[in-house]
Structures are given as C-alpha cells and as structure tokens.
C-alpha cells in the first residue's frame, strides 16, 4: 500500500485510481483522501500493481473535518456508489461533474451487471 505521509503536507488531496478487473476481482475506482502521491501500490494475490492517478482534487471542508489527518482509502465497484458517497459528503456539483467525466473511460463491471 501507499506509505503514510506527514499530514502537515499542504499537497495532501483526494486522488482517484482505476484498478482494472482480473480473474480474481471486478474493476474498482480507488479514492484516496489525504493522498500524497500520484501513484499507489495495490497488493494483489499474484503480484502488486502500481496505479497512476487519473484525477486529483482538493479536499472539501466536509472531508477535512470527517477524515482529519488520516489517509483513507475508499473502494467503489460502480460509479453510482461513488456518486452517492460524494452526495453524502455534500460535495459540490462541480466536483461530481469533474469526477464523472471519466465514467466512459473507466468501465466498472458492477454497472454492466445491473
């Protein structure tokens, strides 16, 4: 996993990563709050995978309060799950639009099953 960072780092933000599907799991969007790197190493059964962020944004006021200084990973199997989480945190419509513009580039199996 990503190493923890000193959270007085003003560059900490929210980053989104796409983990493609393989024979053992469905594709996922990984959202990392208080992220300090454009890459993340994800431990997998056969071999760890290094992912590159596809989107980055500042933490919202609500996220800063809710997640304080801890790096937090959130995993989403559908874009709808991600959107509902963002709505629950009262993120702006602009933030939602910015993230959802990647929906056609990063297909999630959960959507195909519905």
């Amino acid at each position: 996993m990503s190493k923890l960072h000193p959270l007085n780092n003003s560059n900490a933000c929210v980053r989104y990563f796409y983990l493609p599907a393989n024979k053992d799991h469905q594709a996922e969007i990984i959202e990392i709050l208080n992220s300090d790197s454009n890459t993340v190493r994800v431990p997998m059964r056969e071999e760890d995978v290094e992912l590159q962020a596809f989107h980055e944004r500042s933490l919202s006021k609500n996220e800063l309060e809710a997640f304080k200084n801890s790096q937090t990973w959130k995993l989403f199997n559908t874009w709808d799950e991600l959107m509902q989480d963002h709505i629950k945190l009262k993120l702006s419509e602009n933030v939602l639009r910015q993230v959802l513009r990647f929906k056609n580039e990063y297909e999630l199996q959960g959507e195909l099953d519905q």
Side-chain angles (χ1 to χ4, degrees):
M1 284 196 197
S2 174
K3 65 181 174 143
L4 293 178
H5 61 290
L7 291 167
N8 56 357
N9 179 353
S10 62
N11 293 330
C13 61
V14 180
R15 289 189 174 94
Y16 298 83
F17 302 85
Y18 179 71
L19 180 63
N22 69 24
K23 63 181 179 163
D24 295 324
H25 72 85
Q26 294 182 351
E28 295 174 326
I29 298 294
I30 302 171
E31 176 189 36
I32 302 180
L33 294 102
N34 290 308
S35 171
D36 66 342
S37 176
N38 285 325
T39 61
V40 67
R41 185 168 293 280
V42 179
M44 302 296 285
R45 177 173 284 175
E46 294 182 17
E47 182 179 342
D48 291 356
V49 176
E50 185 168 282
L51 304 175
Q52 183 76 31
F54 68 82
H55 182 62
E56 172 183 314
R57 65 175 176 80
S58 299
L59 284 117
S60 71
K61 188 175 185 179
N62 288 343
E63 289 169 324
L64 282 169
E65 290 173 12
F67 300 100
K68 305 225 184 310
N69 293 334
S70 63
Q71 186 177 79
T72 304
W73 289 40
K74 293 185 175 186
L75 308 177
F76 301 98
N77 293 312
T78 68
W79 284 98
D80 189 53
E81 288 175 351
L82 184 138
M83 187 176 73
Q84 292 305 316
D85 182 74
H86 283 41
I87 290 170
K88 185 174 81 176
L89 287 167
K90 298 180 177 151
L91 300 182
S92 73
E93 281 195 34
N94 185 46
V95 168
L96 291 172
R97 272 195 304 275
Q98 289 294 316
V99 174
L100 290 177
R101 68 190 168 121
F102 295 98
K103 187 175 181 176
N104 291 329
E105 286 181 58
Y106 300 107
E107 199 171 89
L108 297 175
Q109 185 64 35
E111 257 103 30
L112 301 177
D113 294 340
Q114 294 178 2

